[in-house]
Amino acid sequence: MQRLIDVSADPAMKGYGHIGLAKIYNDSTDGVDNPGLTDECAAIIDEVRIAAGLGVEAMGPYLWKGECLRDQGRESDAFDAFASALRVGDVATETLDNIRLAAHGAGTTLVARAARAPDAQLGVDEVSDVFNALSPIKEKVPGLIGAAETEDPLAAAYALLEYAANLRVQRGEGEVGKVYTAENIGFVFVLSERWAEGLAHAQAIDQVLPLAWNLTVLHICAIEMAAADGVSNVDRQYFLSEAERARRTLALMDHRRFGEQELKKLLPVRYDDTVDELVRPARERMENAENMAISYTGDAE
């Protein structure tokens, strides 16, 4: 690939060489913990950028770049990469999985951008940047035209995630596959403080599969509804019981599968302590079990 880059007079051929290098680097990150911290991820970002400058773009390379940028915590740049993947991807020729990954990545990084912005709201310039990036694909994704007309980035995130979730069904993954993406829509409801819709959405997903992130959203929405002015005692008790049910279920899960740092990125800062409190029982339960196993082994010896 380096030889191709060195000897080619055609800029496009050089671009294909840089894409080839990016593919090699991407393959080398398979199975690596925290790939965003590796030299290979930094190289992927550079190679894909250089190739684009030479006029060579493709969905796959933008997906590799987006994943690296997201792993590095660069949510804004990752969003642009995933949006670019959707822009250059031809629905007639790309795999449904690639399109789904791009839409899921764009929707999730857009949620993360909003969640960690001051007061969990993007500034005017950022909103403009978001819709400039989405403009080339607004005809491809149902709901993006309306989101652009209202300049509502959370509506855009909802549209992208719903599109990705429906693509899972088209791929034959059924309702179980769908909820793995649809659960992220719950963060849109939290950010927009649409507690009733968020609770109903989370409860529907929980009927299909208990997922840690979804149960966190369920807990938050139920607690917020219980604290609302004018709620009846009967309703308050129901909301609190749903919040407690979510907390108890989370306590029985493997805390290592929570992805709590990634989870926090999708929620406003004020919920950081809530996430810690929800994860703590599961962590303590597993640590106690491990200590008992060590103690038992020691006694046996």
Side-chain angles (χ1 to χ4, degrees), residues 143-280:
L144 278 188
I145 292 177
E149 289 173 350
T150 58
E151 294 188 328
D152 185 349
L154 291 180
Y158 184 105
L160 288 161
L161 290 168
E162 185 174 52
Y163 179 55
N166 289 332
L167 285 171
R168 281 186 178 269
V169 177
Q170 291 182 41
R171 291 186 70 242
E173 297 180 43
E175 288 301 308
V176 171
K178 181 178 180 178
V179 299
Y180 279 107
T181 289
E183 69 167 333
N184 284 11
I185 293 173
F187 299 110
V188 174
F189 292 124
V190 172
L191 288 171
S192 55
E193 299 186 355
R194 292 151 62 187
W195 310 121
E197 291 173 85
L199 179 59
H201 176 80
Q203 288 172 323
I205 287 177
D206 195 49
Q207 289 294 312
V208 179
L209 201 65
L211 299 170
W213 287 12
N214 182 65
L215 285 164
T216 301
V217 168
L218 195 158
H219 177 88
I220 288 171
C221 290
I223 287 293
E224 294 289 357
M225 291 190 72
D229 293 337
V231 65
S232 70
N233 287 333
V234 172
D235 286 342
R236 180 178 292 107
Q237 289 304 311
Y238 169 70
F239 297 140
L240 290 176
S241 68
E242 280 294 273
E244 177 62 15
R245 181 179 68 82
R247 189 194 67 78
R248 289 198 309 268
T249 305
L250 286 166
L252 297 174
M253 291 183 171
D254 184 342
H255 75 90
R256 294 167 298 186
R257 302 186 65 182
F258 275 64
E260 57 194 279
Q261 295 308 314
E262 291 300 312
L263 172 57
K264 286 180 179 179
K265 292 178 183 178
L266 299 171
L267 291 165
V269 175
R270 67 179 183 273
Y271 293 114
D272 280 1
D273 290 344
T274 300
V275 172
D276 290 337
E277 291 167 4
L278 291 173
V279 174
R280 186 178 299 114

Side-chain angles (χ1 to χ4, degrees), residues 73-130:
R74 298 164 60 183
E75 306 292 350
S76 178
D77 292 333
F79 167 78
D80 288 340
F82 288 124
S84 293
L86 286 168
R87 171 175 57 80
V88 302
D90 184 345
V91 174
T93 58
E94 283 290 346
T95 66
L96 289 177
D97 196 40
N98 273 355
I99 300 169
R100 188 268 304 175
L101 287 169
H104 182 104
T108 302
T109 50
L110 184 50
V111 168
R113 287 180 68 176
R116 292 287 143 160
D119 299 322
Q121 290 188 342
L122 295 178
V124 174
D125 290 342
E126 286 188 286
V127 171
S128 178
D129 290 343
V130 164

